[in-house]
Amino acid sequence: PEGSPEQARRNEAQLNLGKQAWERLQAGEPVTARLLLEQARQMGVDCPASLHYIAKCLISLGSISESIALLQRAVELNPNDPSLLVELGLTLRRGAEPQAGEAVLQQAVMFFSLLLAVGEGTSADYANLAIAYDELGDRDNALACLEQALQRDPHNESALLRKASILGKQPDRHEE
């Protein structure tokens, strides 16, 4: 039954397999990652965090449409997680659905803005909001969010990389 200790164990086991698959992909071991993903998927668990990891792996392996389906299911299960919305929006854009991706990214901005308005923002929250803003073309708000992320965690690698990427994209103001 949903919410039972057995279900919690299955969710955790699937999440661990998803994380291990992601780590194997990062280590350049796609064959091992695929085996771990297959094990995770055979468990038939509908845990949003697990689905997110599996989808991230599938994206890296080029299975965009399958990733979209998993991310949509994760959002259905946890509609109040704006980080899932950001991932879904980015993936929809990769999957040749730019309008749908933009709409989902705008929804993520709205959710993050509400979350941060009540002061519950973490470095990861601000970094994810920055990704959404950046993807929507709003570099100024993206940079402001990255500053907030880095104030909370100066070592947030994703915030540091995104900030460098955005600054590299901006035109030289002296030439304008």
Side-chain angles (χ1 to χ4, degrees):
E2 193 171 319
S4 70
E6 176 60 28
Q7 182 67 39
R9 280 191 294 276
R10 291 181 65 213
N11 288 350
E12 187 66 28
Q14 186 185 48
L15 179 59
N16 286 334
L17 286 168
K19 286 180 178 180
Q20 289 172 24
W22 181 250
E23 289 168 3
R24 293 301 86 210
L25 276 174
Q26 300 306 303
E29 300 175 23
V31 173
T32 304
R34 282 185 189 276
L35 292 172
L36 291 165
L37 285 174
E38 190 54 38
Q39 286 178 347
R41 297 182 78 200
Q42 286 177 357
M43 296 181 80
V45 176
D46 263 355
C47 168
S50 299
L51 295 173
H52 187 201
Y53 265 101
I54 293 168
K56 281 175 56 170
C57 292
L58 290 171
I59 291 164
S60 292
L61 294 168
S63 298
I64 302 299
S65 60
E66 203 172 352
S67 301
I68 290 170
L70 289 175
L71 288 168
Q72 287 171 328
R73 179 65 182 142
V75 168
E76 286 174 21
L77 293 168
N78 191 1
N80 297 321
D81 183 346
S83 64
L84 288 174
L85 290 171
V86 170
E87 193 73 45
L88 177 57
L90 295 173
T91 307
L92 284 166
R93 289 180 121 186
R94 286 185 199 116
E97 298 182 49
Q99 292 86 5
E102 186 169 325
V104 171
L105 288 169
Q106 288 172 347
Q107 187 179 1
V109 166
M110 182 190 70
F111 272 111
F112 270 122
S113 297
L114 291 171
L115 175 73
L116 299 175
V118 294
E120 298 179 19
T122 66
S123 179
D125 291 333
Y126 278 101
N128 277 319
L129 178 55
I131 291 168
Y133 274 130
D134 186 25
E135 291 295 323
L136 291 169
D138 187 345
R139 306 290 191 260
D140 292 337
N141 274 325
L143 285 169
C145 289
L146 290 169
E147 289 302 323
Q148 290 295 318
L150 293 169
Q151 282 180 7
R152 285 162 176 71
D153 177 5
H155 304 290
N156 181 327
E157 187 176 350
S158 102
L160 290 167
L161 291 171
R162 179 64 65 155
K163 183 176 179 184
S165 173
I166 291 171
L167 292 174
K169 290 180 193 173
Q170 288 187 333
D172 185 352
R173 301 251 183 237
H174 301 292
E175 293 177 14
E176 293 180 11

